Amino acid sequence: MTTGGIATGHAVSPDSGRYWSDEGAWQVAEGIWRIPLPLPMDALKAINVYVVQGDDGLTLIDGGWSIPVARELLDKSLRSIDSGFGDIKRFLVTHVHRDHFTLATVLGHEYGAEVVLGAEEQPALELLHRASEADLGESPFLDMLRSAGAEEVAELWRQGHDGALPDAADWAYPDVWLDGDRTFDIGRRQIDAVHTPGHTPGHYVYADQREGVLFAGDHVLPTITPSIGFTAPPADQPLGQFMASLARVRELPDLRILPAHGPVAPSSYARVDELLAHHEHRLALCLASLTERGAVTSLVVARDLGWTRHERALGELDVFSQGMAAMETKAHLDLLVARGQASATDHPDGVVYTAL
């Protein structure tokens, strides 16, 4: 969901002076480079992988999607700063989504680099490994869509699945599971790993407070808010966790944002405040929909909301985006229930919500 006034794909990053997704190794601070890597079939266009130079080699924040074009571009970009895959000491992965994790784990296991991932991502990885062994049955997201009242969308998702199983090599388990916060000493740098659940249960941001930068992953994005409620197995109160995690980031110093998607941005404080205000506004809209309509499912409420920066109707979105919108709306409604502003009742057609 876009929260800024400019389309993410057309945002210019101050470190390069060009569209943020343009190819290159862009220096954002002394010893830190931003390398955008392409994403297939994704409106976000790219993911920013960050390279941090240390006395013992390179630390990469995230790794990119394990596809040939991304691997080749990462190799080329590292060579442009007189480095290579063999110089990578560790990957600090913000979360388990494939555009962040899969190339990190592939390269990590090929070159002996340590791969670090949040411990709360282990259930998702185990689910993927069961799927790679054809032991999962149908996608767990289908039941999540049905609980949101989106049975027709779930059926279209099911029909659109090509039957391909995840490649277990892309989802190898990490070398280190992060449990709680900790600090990594990287030469003269200290990088603080801060647990920020919400987008996924095991999401981490990494703060170099001395340098004044926040490797924000998908937690604090400069032009959009990350998907909420789109994670399997489903998390309890993902929006509540996300907003609490934003408050945790607000307790750090005001840092320059080095996001996974989008341009470098000047102030974590300013962006966190915008994101919190955005979701409070969405919560108010959801409550107004419940008050007007009575007992309804998440999908019905999602139809009352605008989507993307153009405030499009739900039916104008592609089927995949409609499903994500239904699940994100459910996350908002579940938080209203937790706040005592609504009730939830299980129903064969999906969870039904009522304003209190």
Side-chain angles (χ1 to χ4, degrees), residues 95-173:
H95 62 293
V96 77
H97 286 166
R98 59 188 175 181
D99 53 328
H100 300 253
F101 179 70
T102 55
L103 188 53
T105 195
V106 167
L107 292 175
H109 285 83
E110 281 186 33
Y111 287 89
E114 183 178 74
V115 178
V116 179
L117 183 69
E120 297 300 322
E121 305 291 49
Q122 188 167 352
L125 266 185
E126 290 172 348
L127 195 64
L128 284 160
H129 278 265
R130 292 202 300 275
S132 72
E133 298 163 1
D135 186 36
L136 185 61
E138 68 176 18
S139 167
F141 289 112
L142 302 186
D143 279 341
M144 293 165 63
L145 285 168
R146 292 171 186 132
S147 73
E151 174 65 43
E152 292 184 5
V153 176
E155 178 59 21
L156 290 170
W157 276 33
R158 188 190 65 78
Q159 293 174 11
H161 179 57
D162 61 8
L165 297 176
D167 184 346
D170 287 349
W171 301 99
Y173 288 101

Coordinates of all heavy atoms in Angstrom, one line a residue, residues 95-173:
H95 N 14.6 -10.8 6.7 CA 13.5 -11.7 6.9 C 13.5 -12.7 5.8 O 14.3 -12.7 4.9 CB 12.2 -10.9 7.0 CG 11.8 -10.2 5.8 ND1 12.5 -9.1 5.3 CD2 10.8 -10.3 4.9 CE1 11.9 -8.6 4.2 NE2 10.9 -9.4 3.9
V96 N 12.6 -13.7 5.9 CA 12.7 -14.9 5.2 C 12.1 -14.8 3.7 O 12.3 -15.8 3.0 CB 12.0 -16.1 5.9 CG1 10.5 -15.9 5.8 CG2 12.5 -17.4 5.5
H97 N 11.5 -13.7 3.4 CA 10.9 -13.6 2.0 C 12.0 -13.9 1.0 O 13.2 -13.5 1.1 CB 10.2 -12.3 1.8 CG 8.9 -12.2 2.6 ND1 8.3 -11.1 2.8 CD2 8.2 -13.2 3.1 CE1 7.1 -11.3 3.4 NE2 7.1 -12.6 3.7
R98 N 11.6 -14.5 -0.2 CA 12.6 -15.0 -1.1 C 13.5 -13.9 -1.7 O 14.6 -14.1 -2.1 CB 11.9 -15.7 -2.2 CG 10.8 -14.9 -3.0 CD 10.0 -15.8 -3.9 NE 9.0 -15.1 -4.6 CZ 8.1 -15.7 -5.4 NH1 8.2 -17.0 -5.7 NH2 7.2 -15.0 -6.0
D99 N 13.0 -12.7 -1.9 CA 13.8 -11.6 -2.4 C 14.9 -11.1 -1.5 O 15.8 -10.4 -1.9 CB 12.9 -10.4 -2.9 CG 12.0 -9.9 -1.8 OD1 11.5 -10.6 -1.0 OD2 11.7 -8.6 -1.9
H100 N 14.8 -11.5 -0.2 CA 15.8 -11.2 0.8 C 16.7 -12.3 1.1 O 17.9 -12.1 1.3 CB 15.1 -10.6 2.0 CG 14.3 -9.4 1.8 ND1 14.6 -8.2 2.2 CD2 13.1 -9.3 1.2 CE1 13.7 -7.3 1.9 NE2 12.7 -8.0 1.3
F101 N 16.1 -13.5 1.2 CA 16.8 -14.7 1.8 C 17.5 -15.6 0.8 O 18.6 -16.1 1.0 CB 15.8 -15.5 2.6 CG 16.4 -16.7 3.3 CD1 17.3 -16.6 4.3 CD2 16.0 -18.0 2.9 CE1 17.8 -17.7 4.9 CE2 16.5 -19.1 3.5 CZ 17.4 -19.0 4.5
T102 N 16.9 -15.9 -0.4 CA 17.3 -17.1 -1.2 C 18.7 -16.9 -1.8 O 19.5 -17.9 -1.7 CB 16.3 -17.4 -2.3 OG1 16.0 -16.2 -3.1 CG2 14.9 -17.8 -1.7
L103 N 19.0 -15.8 -2.3 CA 20.4 -15.7 -2.9 C 21.4 -15.6 -1.7 O 22.6 -16.1 -1.9 CB 20.5 -14.4 -3.7 CG 21.8 -14.3 -4.5 CD1 22.1 -15.5 -5.3 CD2 21.8 -13.0 -5.4
A104 N 21.0 -15.1 -0.6 CA 22.0 -15.1 0.6 C 22.3 -16.5 1.0 O 23.5 -16.9 1.2 CB 21.3 -14.3 1.7
T105 N 21.3 -17.4 1.1 CA 21.5 -18.7 1.6 C 22.3 -19.6 0.5 O 23.1 -20.4 0.8 CB 20.2 -19.4 2.0 OG1 20.6 -20.6 2.8 CG2 19.3 -19.8 0.9
V106 N 22.0 -19.3 -0.8 CA 22.7 -20.1 -1.8 C 24.2 -19.7 -1.8 O 25.1 -20.5 -1.8 CB 22.0 -19.8 -3.2 CG1 23.0 -20.3 -4.3 CG2 20.7 -20.5 -3.3
L107 N 24.5 -18.4 -1.8 CA 25.9 -17.9 -1.9 C 26.6 -18.3 -0.5 O 27.8 -18.6 -0.5 CB 26.0 -16.4 -2.1 CG 25.5 -16.0 -3.5 CD1 25.6 -14.5 -3.6 CD2 26.5 -16.6 -4.6
G108 N 25.8 -18.1 0.5 CA 26.4 -18.4 1.8 C 26.9 -19.9 1.9 O 28.0 -20.1 2.4
H109 N 26.1 -20.8 1.4 CA 26.5 -22.2 1.5 C 27.6 -22.5 0.4 O 28.4 -23.4 0.6 CB 25.3 -23.1 1.4 CG 24.5 -23.1 2.7 ND1 23.6 -22.1 3.0 CD2 24.5 -24.0 3.7 CE1 23.1 -22.4 4.2 NE2 23.6 -23.5 4.6
E110 N 27.6 -21.8 -0.7 CA 28.6 -22.0 -1.7 C 30.0 -21.5 -1.2 O 31.0 -22.2 -1.5 CB 28.3 -21.4 -3.0 CG 27.2 -22.1 -3.8 CD 27.0 -21.4 -5.2 OE1 28.0 -20.8 -5.7 OE2 25.9 -21.4 -5.7
Y111 N 30.0 -20.4 -0.6 CA 31.3 -19.7 -0.3 C 31.7 -19.7 1.2 O 32.7 -19.1 1.6 CB 31.2 -18.2 -0.8 CG 31.3 -18.2 -2.3 CD1 30.2 -18.2 -3.1 CD2 32.5 -18.1 -3.0 CE1 30.2 -18.2 -4.5 CE2 32.6 -18.0 -4.4 CZ 31.4 -18.1 -5.1 OH 31.5 -18.1 -6.5
G112 N 30.9 -20.4 2.0 CA 31.2 -20.5 3.4 C 30.9 -19.2 4.2 O 31.5 -19.0 5.3
A113 N 30.1 -18.3 3.7 CA 29.7 -17.1 4.5 C 28.6 -17.5 5.4 O 27.7 -18.3 5.1 CB 29.2 -16.0 3.5
E114 N 28.6 -16.9 6.6 CA 27.6 -17.1 7.6 C 26.3 -16.5 7.3 O 26.3 -15.3 6.8 CB 28.2 -16.6 9.0 CG 27.3 -16.8 10.2 CD 27.9 -16.2 11.4 OE1 27.9 -15.0 11.6 OE2 28.4 -17.0 12.2
V115 N 25.2 -17.2 7.4 CA 23.9 -16.6 7.1 C 23.1 -16.5 8.4 O 23.0 -17.5 9.2 CB 23.1 -17.5 6.1 CG1 21.7 -17.0 5.9 CG2 23.9 -17.7 4.8
V116 N 22.6 -15.3 8.7 CA 21.9 -15.0 10.0 C 20.5 -14.7 9.6 O 20.2 -13.9 8.8 CB 22.6 -13.8 10.7 CG1 21.9 -13.5 12.0 CG2 24.1 -14.1 10.9
L117 N 19.6 -15.3 10.4 CA 18.1 -15.0 10.2 C 17.4 -15.1 11.5 O 17.8 -15.8 12.4 CB 17.6 -16.1 9.2 CG 16.1 -16.0 8.8 CD1 15.9 -14.8 7.9 CD2 15.6 -17.3 8.1
G118 N 16.3 -14.3 11.6 CA 15.6 -14.3 12.9 C 14.9 -15.7 13.2 O 14.4 -16.4 12.3
A119 N 15.0 -16.1 14.4 CA 14.5 -17.4 14.9 C 13.0 -17.6 14.6 O 12.5 -18.7 14.4 CB 14.8 -17.6 16.3
E120 N 12.3 -16.5 14.6 CA 10.8 -16.6 14.4 C 10.4 -16.9 13.0 O 9.3 -17.1 12.7 CB 10.1 -15.3 14.9 CG 10.3 -15.0 16.4 CD 9.7 -16.1 17.3 OE1 8.6 -16.6 16.9 OE2 10.3 -16.4 18.3
E121 N 11.4 -16.9 12.1 CA 11.2 -17.3 10.7 C 11.3 -18.8 10.5 O 11.0 -19.4 9.4 CB 12.2 -16.6 9.8 CG 12.3 -15.1 9.9 CD 11.1 -14.4 9.4 OE1 9.9 -14.8 9.7 OE2 11.2 -13.5 8.6
Q122 N 11.7 -19.6 11.6 CA 11.8 -21.0 11.4 C 10.6 -21.7 11.0 O 10.6 -22.6 10.1 CB 12.4 -21.6 12.7 CG 12.8 -23.1 12.6 CD 13.6 -23.6 13.7 OE1 14.0 -22.8 14.6 NE2 13.9 -24.9 13.8
P123 N 9.4 -21.4 11.6 CA 8.2 -22.1 11.1 C 7.9 -21.9 9.6 O 7.5 -22.9 8.9 CB 7.1 -21.5 12.0 CG 7.8 -21.0 13.2 CD 9.1 -20.6 12.7
A124 N 8.2 -20.7 9.1 CA 8.0 -20.5 7.7 C 8.9 -21.4 6.8 O 8.5 -21.9 5.8 CB 8.1 -19.0 7.3
L125 N 10.2 -21.4 7.3 CA 11.2 -22.3 6.5 C 10.8 -23.7 6.6 O 10.9 -24.5 5.6 CB 12.6 -22.1 7.1 CG 13.4 -21.0 6.5 CD1 14.8 -21.0 7.1 CD2 13.5 -21.2 4.9
E126 N 10.3 -24.2 7.7 CA 9.9 -25.6 7.9 C 8.7 -25.9 6.9 O 8.6 -26.9 6.3 CB 9.5 -25.9 9.3 CG 10.8 -25.9 10.2 CD 10.4 -26.0 11.7 OE1 9.2 -25.9 12.0 OE2 11.3 -26.3 12.5
L127 N 7.8 -24.9 6.8 CA 6.7 -25.1 5.9 C 7.1 -25.2 4.5 O 6.6 -26.0 3.7 CB 5.7 -23.9 6.1 CG 4.3 -24.0 5.6 CD1 3.5 -25.0 6.3 CD2 3.6 -22.6 5.7
L128 N 8.1 -24.4 4.1 CA 8.6 -24.4 2.7 C 9.3 -25.7 2.5 O 9.2 -26.3 1.4 CB 9.6 -23.3 2.5 CG 8.9 -21.9 2.3 CD1 9.9 -20.8 2.6 CD2 8.4 -21.8 0.9
H129 N 10.0 -26.3 3.5 CA 10.7 -27.6 3.3 C 9.7 -28.7 3.1 O 9.9 -29.6 2.3 CB 11.7 -27.8 4.4 CG 13.0 -27.1 4.2 ND1 14.1 -27.8 3.7 CD2 13.4 -25.9 4.5 CE1 15.1 -26.9 3.6 NE2 14.7 -25.7 4.1
R130 N 8.6 -28.6 3.9 CA 7.6 -29.6 3.7 C 6.9 -29.5 2.3 O 6.6 -30.5 1.7 CB 6.5 -29.5 4.8 CG 7.0 -29.8 6.2 CD 5.8 -30.2 7.1 NE 4.8 -29.2 7.2 CZ 4.9 -28.2 8.1 NH1 6.0 -28.1 8.9 NH2 4.0 -27.3 8.2
A131 N 6.8 -28.3 1.8 CA 6.2 -28.1 0.5 C 7.2 -28.6 -0.6 O 6.7 -29.2 -1.6 CB 6.0 -26.6 0.3
S132 N 8.5 -28.5 -0.4 CA 9.4 -28.9 -1.3 C 9.5 -30.4 -1.4 O 9.9 -31.0 -2.4 CB 10.8 -28.4 -1.0 OG 11.4 -29.1 0.1
E133 N 9.0 -31.1 -0.4 CA 8.9 -32.6 -0.4 C 7.5 -33.0 -0.8 O 7.1 -34.2 -0.6 CB 9.2 -33.1 1.0 CG 10.6 -32.7 1.5 CD 10.8 -32.9 2.9 OE1 9.9 -33.3 3.6 OE2 12.0 -32.6 3.4
A134 N 6.7 -32.1 -1.3 CA 5.3 -32.4 -1.8 C 4.5 -33.0 -0.6 O 3.6 -33.8 -0.9 CB 5.3 -33.4 -3.0
D135 N 4.7 -32.5 0.6 CA 4.0 -33.0 1.7 C 3.0 -32.0 2.3 O 2.5 -32.2 3.4 CB 5.0 -33.4 2.8 CG 4.4 -34.1 4.0 OD1 3.5 -34.9 3.8 OD2 4.9 -33.9 5.1
L136 N 2.8 -30.9 1.7 CA 2.1 -29.8 2.3 C 0.6 -29.8 1.9 O -0.2 -29.4 2.7 CB 2.7 -28.5 1.8 CG 2.1 -27.2 2.4 CD1 2.3 -27.2 3.9 CD2 2.7 -26.0 1.8
G137 N 0.2 -30.4 0.8 CA -1.2 -30.3 0.4 C -1.3 -28.9 -0.3 O -0.4 -28.4 -0.9
E138 N -2.5 -28.3 -0.1 CA -2.7 -27.0 -0.8 C -2.0 -25.9 0.0 O -1.7 -26.0 1.2 CB -4.2 -26.7 -0.9 CG -4.9 -26.4 0.3 CD -6.4 -26.1 0.0 OE1 -6.9 -26.3 -1.1 OE2 -7.0 -25.5 1.0
S139 N -1.8 -24.7 -0.6 CA -1.1 -23.6 0.0 C -1.9 -23.2 1.3 O -3.1 -23.0 1.3 CB -1.1 -22.4 -0.9 OG -0.7 -21.2 -0.3
P140 N -1.1 -22.9 2.4 CA -1.8 -22.4 3.6 C -2.4 -21.0 3.4 O -3.3 -20.6 4.2 CB -0.6 -22.3 4.6 CG 0.6 -22.2 3.8 CD 0.3 -23.0 2.5
F141 N -2.0 -20.3 2.4 CA -2.6 -19.0 2.1 C -4.1 -19.1 1.7 O -4.9 -18.2 1.9 CB -1.8 -18.2 1.1 CG -0.5 -17.7 1.5 CD1 0.7 -18.3 1.0 CD2 -0.4 -16.8 2.5 CE1 1.9 -17.8 1.4 CE2 0.8 -16.3 2.9 CZ 2.0 -16.9 2.4
L142 N -4.5 -20.3 1.2 CA -5.9 -20.4 0.7 C -6.8 -20.4 1.9 O -7.9 -19.8 1.9 CB -6.0 -21.7 -0.1 CG -5.1 -21.8 -1.3 CD1 -5.5 -23.1 -2.1 CD2 -5.3 -20.6 -2.2
D143 N -6.4 -21.1 3.0 CA -7.2 -21.1 4.2 C -7.3 -19.7 4.8 O -8.3 -19.3 5.4 CB -6.7 -22.1 5.3 CG -7.1 -23.5 5.0 OD1 -8.1 -23.7 4.2 OD2 -6.5 -24.4 5.5
M144 N -6.2 -19.0 4.7 CA -6.2 -17.6 5.2 C -7.1 -16.7 4.4 O -7.8 -15.9 5.0 CB -4.7 -17.0 5.2 CG -3.8 -17.8 6.2 SD -2.0 -17.5 5.8 CE -2.0 -15.7 6.1
L145 N -7.2 -16.9 3.1 CA -8.1 -16.2 2.3 C -9.5 -16.5 2.6 O -10.4 -15.6 2.7 CB -7.8 -16.4 0.8 CG -6.6 -15.8 0.2 CD1 -6.2 -16.3 -1.1 CD2 -6.7 -14.2 0.1
R146 N -9.8 -17.8 2.8 CA -11.1 -18.2 3.2 C -11.6 -17.6 4.5 O -12.7 -17.2 4.7 CB -11.2 -19.7 3.2 CG -11.0 -20.4 1.8 CD -10.9 -21.9 1.9 NE -10.6 -22.4 0.6 CZ -9.6 -23.3 0.3 NH1 -8.8 -23.7 1.3 NH2 -9.4 -23.8 -0.9
S147 N -10.7 -17.5 5.5 CA -11.0 -16.9 6.8 C -11.3 -15.4 6.6 O -12.0 -14.8 7.4 CB -9.9 -17.1 7.8 OG -8.8 -16.3 7.5
A148 N -10.8 -14.8 5.5 CA -11.1 -13.4 5.2 C -12.4 -13.2 4.4 O -12.7 -12.1 4.0 CB -9.9 -12.8 4.5
G149 N -13.1 -14.4 4.1 CA -14.3 -14.3 3.3 C -14.0 -14.2 1.8 O -14.9 -13.9 1.1
A150 N -12.8 -14.6 1.4 CA -12.4 -14.4 0.0 C -12.3 -15.8 -0.7 O -11.3 -16.1 -1.2 CB -11.1 -13.7 -0.1
E151 N -13.3 -16.6 -0.6 CA -13.3 -18.0 -1.2 C -13.1 -17.9 -2.7 O -12.3 -18.7 -3.2 CB -14.6 -18.7 -0.9 CG -14.8 -20.0 -1.6 CD -13.8 -21.1 -1.1 OE1 -13.6 -21.1 0.1 OE2 -13.3 -21.8 -1.9
E152 N -13.7 -17.0 -3.4 CA -13.5 -16.9 -4.8 C -12.1 -16.5 -5.2 O -11.5 -17.1 -6.2 CB -14.5 -15.9 -5.5 CG -16.0 -16.3 -5.4 CD -16.9 -15.4 -6.1 OE1 -16.4 -14.4 -6.7 OE2 -18.1 -15.6 -6.0
V153 N -11.5 -15.6 -4.4 CA -10.1 -15.2 -4.7 C -9.2 -16.4 -4.4 O -8.3 -16.7 -5.1 CB -9.7 -14.0 -3.8 CG1 -8.2 -13.7 -4.0 CG2 -10.6 -12.8 -4.1
A154 N -9.5 -17.2 -3.3 CA -8.7 -18.4 -3.0 C -8.7 -19.4 -4.1 O -7.7 -20.0 -4.5 CB -9.2 -19.0 -1.7
E155 N -9.9 -19.6 -4.7 CA -10.0 -20.5 -5.8 C -9.2 -20.0 -7.0 O -8.6 -20.9 -7.7 CB -11.5 -20.7 -6.2 CG -11.7 -21.6 -7.4 CD -11.2 -23.0 -7.2 OE1 -11.0 -23.4 -6.0 OE2 -11.0 -23.7 -8.2
L156 N -9.2 -18.8 -7.3 CA -8.4 -18.2 -8.4 C -6.9 -18.4 -8.1 O -6.1 -18.7 -9.0 CB -8.8 -16.8 -8.7 CG -10.2 -16.6 -9.3 CD1 -10.5 -15.1 -9.3 CD2 -10.3 -17.1 -10.7
W157 N -6.5 -18.2 -6.9 CA -5.1 -18.4 -6.5 C -4.8 -19.9 -6.8 O -3.7 -20.2 -7.3 CB -4.9 -18.1 -5.0 CG -4.6 -16.6 -4.8 CD1 -5.1 -15.5 -5.4 CD2 -3.8 -16.1 -3.7 NE1 -4.7 -14.4 -4.9 CE2 -3.9 -14.7 -3.8 CE3 -3.0 -16.7 -2.7 CZ2 -3.2 -13.8 -2.9 CZ3 -2.4 -15.8 -1.8 CH2 -2.4 -14.4 -2.0
R158 N -5.7 -20.8 -6.3 CA -5.4 -22.2 -6.5 C -5.3 -22.6 -8.0 O -4.4 -23.3 -8.4 CB -6.5 -23.0 -5.8 CG -6.3 -24.5 -5.8 CD -7.5 -25.3 -5.3 NE -8.5 -25.2 -6.3 CZ -8.6 -25.9 -7.5 NH1 -7.6 -26.7 -7.8 NH2 -9.6 -25.7 -8.3
Q159 N -6.1 -22.0 -8.8 CA -6.1 -22.3 -10.2 C -4.8 -21.8 -10.9 O -4.3 -22.3 -11.8 CB -7.3 -21.8 -10.9 CG -8.6 -22.5 -10.5 CD -9.8 -21.8 -11.1 OE1 -9.7 -20.9 -12.0 NE2 -11.0 -22.1 -10.7
G160 N -4.4 -20.7 -10.4 CA -3.2 -20.0 -10.9 C -1.9 -20.6 -10.5 O -0.8 -20.3 -11.1
H161 N -1.9 -21.5 -9.5 CA -0.6 -22.2 -9.1 C -0.2 -23.1 -10.1 O -0.9 -24.0 -10.6 CB -0.9 -22.9 -7.8 CG 0.3 -23.6 -7.2 ND1 1.5 -22.9 -7.0 CD2 0.6 -24.9 -6.9 CE1 2.4 -23.8 -6.5 NE2 1.9 -25.0 -6.5
D162 N 1.1 -23.0 -10.5 CA 1.6 -23.9 -11.6 C 2.1 -25.2 -11.2 O 2.6 -26.1 -12.0 CB 2.8 -23.2 -12.3 CG 4.0 -22.9 -11.4 OD1 4.0 -23.4 -10.3 OD2 4.9 -22.2 -11.9
G163 N 2.0 -25.5 -9.9 CA 2.3 -26.8 -9.4 C 3.8 -27.0 -9.1 O 4.2 -28.1 -8.6
A164 N 4.6 -26.0 -9.4 CA 6.1 -26.1 -9.1 C 6.3 -26.1 -7.6 O 5.7 -25.3 -6.9 CB 6.8 -25.0 -9.8
L165 N 7.2 -27.0 -7.2 CA 7.6 -27.0 -5.8 C 8.8 -26.2 -5.5 O 9.6 -25.9 -6.3 CB 7.9 -28.5 -5.4 CG 6.8 -29.5 -5.5 CD1 7.3 -30.9 -5.2 CD2 5.6 -29.1 -4.6
P166 N 8.9 -25.6 -4.2 CA 10.0 -24.8 -3.9 C 11.3 -25.6 -4.0 O 11.3 -26.8 -3.7 CB 9.8 -24.4 -2.4 CG 8.3 -24.6 -2.2 CD 7.9 -25.7 -3.1
D167 N 12.4 -25.0 -4.4 CA 13.7 -25.7 -4.5 C 14.3 -25.6 -3.1 O 14.6 -24.5 -2.6 CB 14.6 -25.0 -5.6 CG 15.9 -25.6 -5.8 OD1 16.3 -26.5 -4.9 OD2 16.6 -25.3 -6.8
A168 N 14.5 -26.7 -2.5 CA 15.1 -26.8 -1.1 C 16.4 -26.1 -1.0 O 16.8 -25.5 0.0 CB 15.2 -28.2 -0.6
A169 N 17.2 -26.0 -2.1 CA 18.5 -25.4 -2.1 C 18.4 -23.9 -1.9 O 19.3 -23.2 -1.4 CB 19.3 -25.7 -3.4
D170 N 17.2 -23.3 -2.3 CA 17.0 -21.9 -2.1 C 16.6 -21.5 -0.7 O 16.5 -20.4 -0.4 CB 16.0 -21.4 -3.1 CG 16.5 -21.3 -4.5 OD1 17.7 -21.4 -4.7 OD2 15.6 -21.1 -5.5
W171 N 16.2 -22.6 0.0 CA 15.7 -22.3 1.4 C 16.4 -23.1 2.4 O 15.9 -23.6 3.4 CB 14.2 -22.7 1.4 CG 13.4 -22.0 0.4 CD1 13.0 -22.4 -0.9 CD2 12.9 -20.7 0.5 NE1 12.3 -21.4 -1.5 CE2 12.2 -20.3 -0.7 CE3 12.9 -19.7 1.5 CZ2 11.6 -19.1 -0.9 CZ3 12.3 -18.5 1.3 CH2 11.6 -18.2 0.1
A172 N 17.8 -23.2 2.3 CA 18.6 -23.9 3.3 C 18.5 -23.2 4.6 O 18.4 -21.9 4.6 CB 20.0 -24.0 2.8
Y173 N 18.6 -23.9 5.7 CA 18.5 -23.3 7.0 C 19.7 -22.4 7.2 O 20.8 -22.7 6.7 CB 18.4 -24.3 8.1 CG 17.0 -25.0 8.1 CD1 16.9 -26.3 7.5 CD2 15.9 -24.4 8.6 CE1 15.6 -26.9 7.5 CE2 14.7 -25.0 8.6 CZ 14.5 -26.2 8.1 OH 13.3 -26.8 8.0

